Amino acid sequence: MISSSSLWRISWRLYDLAADRSEQNDLAAARPDVVKALADKWQTWAASSNVLPLGGWRAGPRKKGPNRFTLKSGDHLDGEKAPGVAGRGFTLTAKFEATDGDSEGVLVAHGGTAHGYSLSFQQGKLTFAVRRDGKITQVGVPEAVKGPQTAVATLGADGAISLSVGGSVATAKAEGVIAANPKDGLDVGNDLGAPVGPYAKAAPFKGKIDSVEIVISRN
């Protein structure tokens, strides 16, 4: 029988327990295919059992890079160049002008169906959504949003979510921050990857986007 054990956030070890009960001969380097298969099984179990620590094994080291991103309409950042939000809170500020016909449309989207966040119009309501382990938590302001606006959406280190625009503030609570950096990239004005927000298919924003700023906390 073969089993695996791990050195925390460093590497996997692999032993043939039938021939090596005292675990003296590490086979990880010789059998990377088995290591990967067992590691994938562990990852699936750990995610389903909700035992992964915040910012720990799956998220790995925090992504190095800038803490502030200033973007404009039509911008796209690949996954490696997008904000490193794993294990950290952030603030998203969008300056835009909404028209009477903006009942649907994505202002900004980062991530996909597993991890990420989006700011979008859903049935005429501005909505901020956060995905964590595939579970979506969203908050929306009840009033119609039209004309020039500045919306501020935040995800706190404790999972607190808020959205403010035009004097209205709405709040919600997720289970925590985003656990892993989204593999899908970031789009301003649309969601060109797997849908991260509360929509089956993304619609582009038809109004004007002046700027989107994302500031990652240093916690």
Side-chain angles (χ1 to χ4, degrees), residues 27-216:
L27 302 175
R31 297 297 306 274
D33 55 330
V34 177
V35 172
K36 183 179 185 304
L38 290 174
D40 287 346
K41 288 182 178 180
W42 183 90
Q43 176 74 27
T44 299
W45 170 83
S48 64
S49 301
N50 196 30
V51 299
L52 288 170
L54 181 63
W57 177 274
R58 180 173 44 191
R62 286 180 172 175
K63 182 178 176 180
K64 295 181 179 179
N67 284 71
R68 183 183 299 269
F69 295 76
T70 302
L71 307 164
K72 62 183 184 302
S73 181
D75 278 353
H76 170 80
L77 297 178
D78 292 333
E80 289 301 314
K81 296 181 180 179
V85 295
R88 293 190 285 185
F90 61 89
T91 299
L92 186 162
T93 303
K95 296 182 179 181
F96 61 94
E97 185 171 350
T99 66
D100 291 341
D102 290 325
S103 60
E104 307 288 333
V106 178
L107 286 159
V108 59
H110 178 197
T113 55
H115 305 285
Y117 54 92
S118 72
L119 181 66
S120 65
F121 279 91
Q122 301 298 315
Q123 298 180 346
K125 296 181 179 180
L126 189 62
T127 303
F128 178 50
V130 174
R131 279 195 189 266
R132 184 178 189 272
D133 298 325
K135 181 180 179 181
I136 190 167
T137 304
Q138 60 183 323
V139 61
V141 294
E143 295 84 1
V145 176
K146 298 178 182 179
Q149 300 286 347
T150 297
V152 179
T154 64
L155 172 63
D158 60 350
I161 296 174
S162 70
L163 173 63
S164 63
V165 62
S168 297
V169 180
T171 61
K173 186 68 178 295
E175 293 181 357
V177 291
I178 298 171
N181 285 313
K183 294 182 179 179
D184 294 60
L186 181 150
D187 295 296
V188 178
N190 209 340
D191 185 352
L192 300 178
V196 62
Y199 38 79
K201 184 178 181 180
F205 180 66
K206 297 179 180 179
K208 178 184 177 183
I209 301 175
D210 294 320
S211 66
V212 170
E213 184 179 65
I214 299 169
V215 179
I216 305 170

